[in-house]
Amino acid sequence: MKRIPALLVLDLINAIAHPDGGYADVCLPQIIERGVIERTAKAIEQAREQGIPVIYVVVGFSPGHADWPAGSPLFAEARDGDRLVLGTWNTQVVDALKPAAGEPVIEKRRVNPFHGTHLDLVLRAHGVTTLLLTGATTDLVVLSTAREGHDRDYQVEVLEDATVTGDAELHEAALKLLARTATVTTVDQAFAAPVA
């Protein structure tokens, strides 16, 4: 299979990756310690230079929360203070990684960015065969994306130095699981690899 990649930037939104975000206490210390914003910015810059599509995925719910999963322990607090309402500051991509004009932003309402979205259509329209994954969270969103991408016959590369979760041990455990269906690599390695 030819390697025709797209870069996915997963949930690096203000709620998670900004000091004033509603979920900043979850991942922000690891985001800062691991330099995830800087490495993701480098990945975005290299993707644009190489003509690789950059696709953003943001999590959130409609105003009024009609699509909020009330029974989810993960999203239980999302209604409190409208932490994840689509179209608000919390669900915007952090300024350091802001989408360029024309770059798709896929809104998702669950962990898996393929569930109930047009992500697969966007990828197929670009002829993509390989997903380059960055973002939050390694154990949830990245893992879910990798497995679903694998089952949809994409090659998956996890840019581990541009992914993050709440603690280092959980990140490492997630990488072990990811290695079963994806290639675990780095930003530098992924963009040094040939494009079809």
Side-chain angles (χ1 to χ4, degrees):
M1 178 188 301
K2 289 184 177 179
R3 184 179 184 270
I4 306 172
L7 177 67
L8 272 60
V9 180
L10 303 166
D11 287 346
L12 287 174
I13 57 175
N14 289 321
I16 295 168
H18 188 283
D20 297 329
Y23 289 100
D25 60 323
V26 177
C27 288
L28 189 58
Q30 283 292 304
I31 288 172
I32 293 167
E33 182 178 321
R34 300 189 70 246
V36 169
I37 298 297
E38 295 80 5
R39 286 198 183 96
T40 303
K42 181 178 180 180
I44 291 168
E45 179 183 359
Q46 291 187 15
R48 289 172 179 162
E49 286 174 0
Q50 294 182 27
I52 294 171
V54 179
I55 300 168
Y56 294 81
V57 176
V58 302
V59 63
F61 307 102
S62 301
H65 297 89
D67 45 16
W68 170 68
S72 167
L74 181 64
F75 292 121
E77 298 175 350
R79 279 184 84 154
D80 298 344
D82 288 336
R83 292 188 198 192
L84 290 176
V85 174
L86 291 166
T88 66
W89 176 85
N90 270 309
T91 58
Q92 291 174 358
V93 176
V94 293
D95 283 346
L97 307 175
K98 201 170 257 235
E103 289 178 337
V105 179
I106 308 292
E107 296 176 346
K108 68 183 176 88
R109 282 132 174 104
R110 297 297 185 269
V111 175
N112 181 342
F114 288 97
H115 181 80
T117 74
H118 61 289
L119 175 58
D120 195 54
L121 292 176
V122 172
L123 294 168
R124 304 285 178 199
H126 284 89
V128 170
T129 63
T130 304
L131 309 180
L132 309 178
L133 304 185
T134 65
T137 53
T138 319
D139 59 321
L140 295 168
V141 180
V142 177
L143 182 60
S144 180
T145 307
R147 286 191 170 161
E148 182 73 16
H150 169 272
D151 286 352
R152 291 174 183 254
D153 300 327
Y154 292 101
Q155 300 297 311
V156 181
E157 299 177 22
V158 177
L159 283 54
E160 73 85 16
D161 56 346
T163 61
V164 68
T165 198
D167 70 63
E169 282 186 30
L170 195 52
H171 176 75
E172 292 301 321
L175 292 175
K176 287 181 183 178
L177 291 172
L178 282 158
R180 300 193 66 186
T181 55
T183 300
V184 177
T185 186
T186 66
V187 171
D188 288 343
Q189 291 168 342
F191 288 97
V195 177

